[in-house]
Amino acid sequence: MKFLSTASLAAGLPVLAVAHGDHAFAARNVHHARQAPLSSAPAPAATSSTSLPPAAPATTSGVSGAVTVAPGATTPVTPVVTTPTTTYTFSLQATNPTAIPLSEIISTATSSATKPLANTFSPGAMPTVVPGAPALPNAALLSPANYPALDLVPPTDSELVQQWIQEVANSGISIPNFSPNSLGGCLNNTAAAADPDRCWWTCGGCTRTTDVTECPTAMTWGLTYDDGPAYYTSNLLDYLDQNNLKSTFFVVGSRVISFPSILQTEYMTGHQIAVHTWSHPQLTTLTNEQIIAELGWSKKVIKDVLGVTPNMMRPPFGDIDDRVRAISIAMGLTPVMWTRISPTATFDTDDFDIHSGITTVEHVLQNWENIMGNATTMDNGFIVLEHDLFQQSVEVATGYILPDAMARAPPITIEPVITCLNKPLSDAYIETNDNKTNPPAQSGLVVTLSSGAPGSAQATGAAAHGNSGSSLGISVAGPLTVALGFVAGFAMLL
């Protein structure tokens, strides 16, 4: 079905959009460009009704705010002010019959009802979907007093954090000596943005072979949702379960404390759980010790709730450089990004920004159509950025994006990131990865990195599409020599 929608954008909309509260990436919309319309690649196959816009699909009318005085008049004439409008045209193969109307998926929407979890699990239940996993802990025993304050960067002077800092120091992974970035993104850190040795993904899309950026098989979607668990995650889970779909959930430690039962249900029903820090900061702006605290507390609270520790992470806002990468790897966490086809175009639906009114649901669906138009021309699969934190992002996912994806021809395989990499779900956790399909680097192996060698900065255009991100090579800013130690946690790296 084809949609034609005209959305009004308020005059004076800030160029730099703010998201995620106190830890906002102030330049999010500038640095994380939305999915560009397909312009150079061939059109999708005739079996698909995807209708991609031309290179400049949106039309915006002018804005006039000047006050004018007619000749001979003594009072101003009220000006005619035209609000800019943007027309979106997108085709969807299918929608959910019970979808919330697009006109109601807005920032000022009334809170809708949340669905109860279809399945809850008692302490001691065995996770049959993850062979070898321990019994489920009793989440009721969690005490917030035993964890850092919610939504704040944890202090680094606690005994646990000091232990994690020492473990990183003992890992054999060399941490690049970069100064933390300032807040404000690329525009406020021009030297760092221009430094290829940092490999700062935010500013230009630099990746390393340790980054998971796509699925290796064409027409495979590594389904991910960030920032939960939250109030409307249960609605998303209900839809996923109805359609036998599984996802990777990148969870925030501060949310896990608030919604442990939702996390247990995600895990016990076969979804992959991964780390998304404790408080959702821009990691490149933190000190090494703060990054360790953010990742360490997130790992700990997930294990306290599930009994297992994830070995994948996604940096909030995609804010990662070689310093953050090295610390993540030293802590046994493989970075997972989302697909980026050029320095200015990523597979980001922008669903997060509906809640704040920065974007519209029509814009999100236009982004989705552009993503699909590009995905059908790729030789590999893809990963898309979506969120389960807000009502609006869940509504657009369950009402429109997922039904459209499931109805497409040729069909799209929708699965968690770990299985899209052709690995069993048990390989997603440190305690259950037996190292057979997901082996660690050999003890004592030394990798020398230099310009042009494996692991050096690479472009993110078509040439990078063959990189599934499943390499075991440790990639940090070169030229460096990195000793890969066989240490607890790191031994389970993808």
Side-chain angles (χ1 to χ4, degrees), residues 217-239:
T217 305
M219 298 305 291
T220 300
W221 176 12
L223 184 64
T224 69
Y225 294 96
D226 290 16
D227 295 356
Y231 290 105
Y232 291 91
T233 302
S234 60
N235 293 22
L236 175 61
L237 287 172
D238 181 74
Y239 185 83

Side-chain angles (χ1 to χ4, degrees), residues 26-84:
R28 184 173 189 266
N29 282 349
V30 172
H31 302 139
H32 292 213
R34 305 306 165 210
Q35 176 55 41
L38 184 66
S39 57
S40 58
T47 53
S48 172
S49 67
T50 299
S51 175
L52 289 174
T59 57
T60 305
S61 60
V63 180
S64 174
V67 177
T68 60
V69 180
T74 57
T75 58
V77 176
T78 302
V80 176
V81 179
T82 305
T83 302

Side-chain angles (χ1 to χ4, degrees), residues 146-162:
N146 294 330
Y147 299 88
L150 301 185
D151 301 309
L152 296 175
V153 176
T156 61
D157 58 355
S158 69
E159 183 177 346
L160 267 179
V161 174
Q162 288 297 308

Side-chain angles (χ1 to χ4, degrees), residues 82-456:
T82 305
T83 302
T85 59
T86 303
T87 300
Y88 301 105
T89 304
F90 46 86
S91 296
L92 300 178
Q93 298 266 352
T95 61
N96 186 340
T98 62
I100 303 297
L102 293 180
S103 60
E104 297 178 18
I105 305 179
I106 54 178
S107 62
T108 56
T110 302
S111 296
S112 61
T114 59
K115 296 182 178 181
L117 292 169
N119 299 288
T120 56
F121 298 88
S122 301
M126 297 304 298
T128 57
V129 293
V130 184
L136 198 66
N138 186 351
L141 299 180
L142 285 179
S143 172
N146 294 330
Y147 299 88
L150 301 185
D151 301 309
L152 296 175
V153 176
T156 61
D157 58 355
S158 69
E159 183 177 346
L160 267 179
V161 174
Q162 288 297 308
Q163 175 185 325
W164 299 330
I165 291 171
Q166 188 60 50
E167 290 173 356
V168 169
N170 296 340
S171 69
I173 304 299
S174 177
I175 311 300
N177 188 25
F178 299 155
S179 299
N181 290 333
S182 300
L183 292 172
C186 308
L187 297 178
N188 202 36
N189 296 273
T190 54
D195 182 0
D197 286 339
R198 286 182 181 253
C199 194
W200 188 8
W201 188 88
T202 303
C203 306
C206 179
T207 61
R208 301 298 194 189
T209 56
T210 47
D211 296 346
V212 176
T213 62
E214 57 198 26
C215 303
T217 305
M219 298 305 291
T220 300
W221 176 12
L223 184 64
T224 69
Y225 294 96
D226 290 16
D227 295 356
Y231 290 105
Y232 291 91
T233 302
S234 60
N235 293 22
L236 175 61
L237 287 172
D238 181 74
Y239 185 83
L240 294 174
D241 290 347
Q242 287 180 23
N243 291 278
N244 196 29
L245 296 175
K246 303 301 178 185
S247 175
T248 299
F249 287 94
F250 290 96
V251 299
V252 175
S254 293
R255 302 284 72 73
V256 171
I257 284 286
S258 303
F259 301 96
S261 295
I262 293 179
L263 187 76
Q264 288 187 334
T265 296
E266 290 173 345
Y267 168 69
M268 295 290 283
T269 55
H271 300 280
Q272 179 188 359
I273 307 303
V275 167
H276 200 44
T277 72
W278 175 260
S279 68
H280 205 280
Q282 302 167 48
L283 288 178
T284 67
T285 68
L286 304 186
T287 66
N288 293 359
E289 294 77 12
Q290 288 174 321
I291 296 169
I292 292 169
E294 281 282 344
L295 298 177
W297 279 111
S298 186
K299 288 175 60 180
K300 175 175 169 50
V301 72
I302 293 171
K303 183 175 182 179
D304 290 347
V305 173
L306 302 181
V308 293
T309 310
N311 59 17
M312 288 186 173
M313 64 83 74
R314 174 174 281 169
F317 312 101
D319 190 39
I320 192 170
D321 60 13
D322 276 345
R323 184 172 64 94
V324 176
R325 281 186 186 90
I327 294 172
S328 299
I329 291 167
M331 297 184 73
L333 297 169
T334 296
V336 179
M337 311 303 290
W338 52 97
T339 299
R340 188 167 194 154
I341 60 171
S342 79
T344 59
T346 78
F347 280 19
D348 177 358
T349 62
D350 198 20
D351 63 334
F352 182 91
D353 287 330
I354 302 174
H355 174 80
S356 62
I358 291 173
T359 195
T360 64
V361 67
E362 292 85 3
H363 187 192
V364 169
L365 292 176
Q366 186 75 75
N367 288 339
W368 168 249
E369 173 145 304
N370 294 340
I371 289 169
M372 285 292 92
N374 283 286
T376 57
T377 70
M378 294 164 56
D379 295 331
N380 45 264
F382 56 95
I383 299 172
V384 179
L385 179 63
E386 294 183 273
H387 301 81
D388 62 318
L389 180 61
F390 295 128
Q391 170 183 330
Q392 293 88 343
S393 57
V394 169
E395 288 173 349
V396 70
T398 58
Y400 300 92
I401 291 176
L402 287 168
D404 175 71
M406 289 187 292
R408 288 188 173 258
I412 298 173
T413 300
I414 305 173
E415 57 187 338
V417 170
I418 188 68
T419 53
C420 98
L421 297 176
N422 300 315
K423 300 178 185 298
L425 185 59
S426 57
D427 278 12
Y429 306 103
I430 289 175
E431 293 80 4
T432 57
N433 176 14
D434 63 7
N435 298 328
K436 292 181 179 178
T437 57
N438 199 15
Q442 294 179 357
S443 178
L445 178 64
V446 176
V447 179
T448 300
L449 300 179
S450 58
S451 179
S456 60

